[in-house]
């Protein structure tokens, strides 16, 4: 897999988080499964996710019926990774007082350390219906929740033509939740 060429604060923070651990099994309802020693398999089984695909050198995209998508660009992966997406069973405990403008979602990947070039990042799009004051507000972010100890805001932009908030990230943990707040 390709490594980062340039990284912003959220990407560096996420890479540190990946090195320190993954999702809290108590919060997600199912543990991440044992990592395979000496491999990059995460142990996350995406077969129970609402939508799933296998991303590879040609990229990959998963989309829920509500329009929430996770897209890995073409040419960024050297091998295959299973990707799943679903609405979260319950909202996680988060380190912000901000109210979510979207549902909470969970993404799962069969590999650890999925990184792409910072110039061609993974795109996460979430449909929202913000009021006039929220559109363009600098505090509107995608809140990424890896575990109770590892969570952070990810800047993005609201696309008023498609009605989605779009954020980009160059590294993905094997399991994480997210919502627009």
């Amino acid at each position: 897999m390709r490594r980062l060429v340039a990284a912003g604060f959220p990407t560096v923070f996420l890479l540190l988080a990946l090195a320190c651990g993954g999702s809290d099994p108590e919060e997600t309802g199912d543990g991440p499964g044992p990592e395979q020693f000496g491999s990059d398999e995460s142990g996350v089984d995406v077969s129970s996710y609402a939508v799933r695909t296998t991303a590879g050198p040609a990229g990959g995209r998963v989309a829920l019926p509500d329009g929430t998508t996770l897209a890995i660009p073409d040419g960024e992966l050297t091998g295959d990774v299973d990707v799943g997406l679903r609405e979260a069973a319950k909202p996680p405990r988060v380190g912000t007082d901000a109210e979510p403008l979207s549902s909470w979602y969970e993404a799962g990947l069969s590999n650890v350390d999925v990184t792409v070039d910072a110039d061609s990042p993974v795109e996460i799009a979430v449909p929202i219906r913000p009021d006039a004051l929220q559109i363009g507000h600098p505090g509107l972010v995608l809140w990424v929740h890896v575990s109770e100890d590892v969570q952070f805001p990810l800047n993005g932009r609201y696309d008023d033509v498609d009605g989605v908030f779009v954020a980009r990230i160059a590294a993905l943990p094997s399991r994480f939740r997210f919502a627009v707040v």
Side-chain angles (χ1 to χ4, degrees):
M1 286 175 224
R2 295 178 69 182
R3 299 290 172 209
L4 295 172
V5 173
F9 173 74
T11 301
V12 171
F13 185 76
L14 181 57
L15 290 174
L16 290 172
L18 289 170
C20 296
S23 297
D24 183 347
E26 186 176 300
E27 291 182 0
T28 59
D30 55 345
E35 290 184 9
Q36 304 298 316
F37 183 75
S39 78
D40 62 354
E41 294 178 20
S42 69
V44 174
D45 178 9
V46 300
S47 64
S48 66
Y49 284 64
V51 293
R52 55 202 167 277
T53 192
T54 299
R61 179 179 181 271
V62 289
L64 289 169
D66 72 357
T68 301
T69 63
L70 187 149
I72 299 173
D74 178 29
E76 292 301 313
L77 301 177
T78 58
D80 290 345
V81 59
D82 295 328
V83 181
L85 188 60
R86 64 183 170 198
E87 194 165 337
K90 64 180 183 173
R93 291 182 294 261
V94 296
T96 179
D97 293 333
E99 290 294 321
L101 297 177
S102 72
S103 296
W104 279 94
Y105 300 94
E106 182 178 330
L109 292 89
S110 63
N111 291 25
V112 295
D113 191 26
V114 174
T115 59
V116 298
D117 191 307
D119 292 329
S120 187
V122 172
E123 186 174 278
I124 300 172
V126 181
I128 60 171
R129 301 254 184 263
D131 62 38
L133 293 175
Q134 295 166 323
I135 295 174
H137 188 279
L140 196 60
V141 296
L142 186 76
W143 194 264
V144 178
H145 182 277
V146 180
S147 70
E148 196 168 321
D149 297 327
V150 180
Q151 46 187 294
F152 56 90
L154 186 60
N155 292 325
R157 65 175 170 74
Y158 176 67
D159 178 340
D160 59 348
V161 173
D162 294 328
V164 296
F165 184 83
V166 180
R168 293 179 173 93
I169 188 166
L172 295 174
S174 57
R175 178 180 290 138
F176 64 100
R177 294 186 201 184
F178 59 92
V180 176
V181 299

